[in-house]
Amino acid sequence: MQALADKLWYHDSPWYRVLLPLSWLFGALVGLRRRLFRWGVLSRRRMDVPVIVVGNITVGGVGKTPLVIDLVQRLRDAGWRPGVVSRGYGGRVRTVSPVTAHSDPALVGDEPVLIAHRTGCQVAVAPRRVAAARLLQTQGVNIIVADDGLQHYALDRDLEIVVIDGLRRLGNGQLLPAGPLREGPQRLQEADLVLVTGRAQAGTELAVEGRLGEAEHLNTGERRSLETFGRVRAVAGIGHPDKFFQALRDRGLEVTPHAFADHHGYRPRDLKFPGQEPILMTEKDAVKCRSFQEPRAWAVHYEARVPEAAWQTIQSRIGPPPRRRQ
């Protein structure tokens, strides 16, 4: 289904027109829901601390999580005590739950575990992000970052950041199911910041600096530069696996790719490849594979940087962190 959707949405297939009536219906429902929030029929919940939403208007991964990680780290360096709320996509938890680096991704989702692992900050997941935000407020958090919460309008926000994949952008520009859009392209004009993972277009878009870092062995924690690898097996269960595979090739590696669906629930047999080549995977995949004790598996770190102009905008909107009580 994912391959079929990609063909319809991103490869100039005329067959998407068959689904346009459903897209028009979807668009009408999305518009009605937003108006109900605007009119106060559906209520927004205001937190006692600033809330920054990092989201997208397309289905699939666009590189939000590395940006959330960098944003959390920069907020902490600036004196804030940040926490992250998420729906926990791919997990089975149906109530508000705290997340640590050792939580089970099958229960709470892979991205929240990765964020907790990389940042060490407070993370909470819940189908209703308001509940997760309320939990964090009781744990000393004084600013909340909502990962992938752009369309969760029940949680009021102080600043919206929309992230776009610079390669695939908005696909055919159609709403679901004829295209990849959750909301129309005009939604970008309402966001405070539009960040692009890749080359930005002219206007208000800002390009995100990102690159692959070192590889970390899943069992031993040993770190190696990518240049020390030659022929490898590459595993990716993300929104756009080819980006990971090509990034490895760009670093001089000879790659045999193994693509899985986004948020794939890995089993040990998924990594049982013939031969002895090292297995390189994304960090999001690695949090679900650490317990397998696969001696050939390495997680490749990805470092993204919030553009300096965007960081200045964020600081101006949220102001300085509150002083701690003596």
Side-chain angles (χ1 to χ4, degrees):
M1 288 297 294
Q2 183 173 344
L4 176 60
D6 283 349
K7 186 174 182 179
L8 286 175
W9 297 344
Y10 296 104
H11 294 89
D12 298 323
S13 171
W15 291 103
Y16 77 87
R17 293 185 177 89
V18 176
L19 299 173
L20 281 176
L22 294 177
S23 293
W24 298 333
L25 175 60
F26 178 79
L29 294 175
V30 167
L32 174 61
R33 179 172 175 269
R34 287 208 67 191
R35 284 191 291 272
L36 292 176
F37 275 107
R38 190 177 298 122
W39 297 335
V41 178
L42 298 177
S43 59
R44 296 175 182 260
R45 297 292 187 269
R46 184 74 183 174
M47 296 297 108
D48 297 329
V49 302
V51 174
I52 301 173
V53 168
V54 182
N56 60 328
I57 64 170
T58 57
V59 174
V62 294
K64 294 186 308 299
T65 300
L67 282 170
V68 168
I69 291 170
D70 182 62
L71 177 57
V72 166
Q73 292 169 338
R74 296 186 76 163
L75 287 168
R76 180 184 289 134
D77 291 344
W80 292 90
R81 297 190 300 278
V84 177
V85 298
S86 171
R87 173 189 169 192
Y89 186 85
R92 299 193 301 269
V93 168
R94 295 294 177 263
T95 58
V96 59
S97 301
V99 178
T100 71
H102 305 290
S103 296
D104 184 354
L107 294 177
V108 299
D110 46 24
E111 290 166 345
V113 175
L114 173 57
I115 292 169
H117 174 73
R118 285 289 302 274
T119 68
C121 76
Q122 302 282 352
V123 180
V125 299
R128 297 184 67 253
R129 290 171 181 82
V130 170
R134 285 173 172 164
L135 174 64
L136 291 186
Q137 286 189 151
T138 68
Q139 298 177 338
V141 165
N142 61 14
I143 191 167
I144 291 171
V145 178
D147 181 29
D148 195 20
L150 190 65
Q151 288 79 33
H152 193 81
Y153 292 112
L155 178 61
D156 207 357
R157 66 282 312 263
D158 297 270
L159 188 138
E160 289 184 334
I161 302 173
V162 178
V163 186
I164 298 176
D165 184 320
L167 181 62
R168 305 208 294 179
R169 297 198 61 86
L170 306 184
N172 61 13
Q174 301 295 328
L175 291 168
L176 290 166
L181 298 186
R182 301 172 177 177
E183 298 183 271
Q186 69 278 2
R187 182 67 173 86
L188 299 178
Q189 302 173 11
E190 303 172 13
D192 298 285
L193 291 165
V194 178
L195 305 186
V196 180
T197 54
R199 181 176 297 178
Q201 294 184 352
T204 59
E205 296 181 359
L206 296 173
V208 174
E209 297 179 12
R211 68 182 301 273
L212 297 182
E214 292 182 319
E216 177 185 347
H217 196 276
L218 264 62
N219 295 343
T220 67
E222 175 192 354
R223 291 189 175 221
R224 286 172 53 183
S225 67
L226 290 179
E227 285 71 21
T228 63
F229 294 87
R231 179 180 298 177
V232 300
R233 303 269 179 173
V235 170
I238 57 178
H240 191 19
D242 287 341
K243 288 184 67 175
F244 177 63
F245 303 146
Q246 187 57 50
L248 292 175
R249 294 188 182 102
D250 291 343
R251 297 290 289 273
L253 278 63
E254 185 178 343
V255 175
T256 300
H258 300 274
F260 293 86
D262 196 13
H263 301 284
H264 177 69
Y266 286 94
R267 298 181 181 182
R269 65 170 179 262
D270 291 330
L271 305 184
K272 298 302 180 183
F273 304 120
Q276 296 301 315
E277 299 98 335
I279 302 170
L280 302 188
M281 63 183 66
T282 72
E283 292 179 279
K284 191 170 84 166
D285 298 305
V287 297
K288 293 176 284 191
C289 299
R290 291 187 184 277
S291 63
F292 297 169
Q293 297 298 306
E294 170 53 58
R296 298 159 59 191
W298 298 74
V300 179
H301 288 248
Y302 181 79
E303 308 295 339
R305 185 74 172 168
V306 173
E308 192 60 33
W311 175 238
Q312 295 299 325
T313 297
I314 293 168
Q315 287 185 303
S316 67
R317 290 292 299 274
I318 63 176
R323 294 181 179 180
R324 297 190 181 188
R325 295 179 179 177
Q326 300 295 327

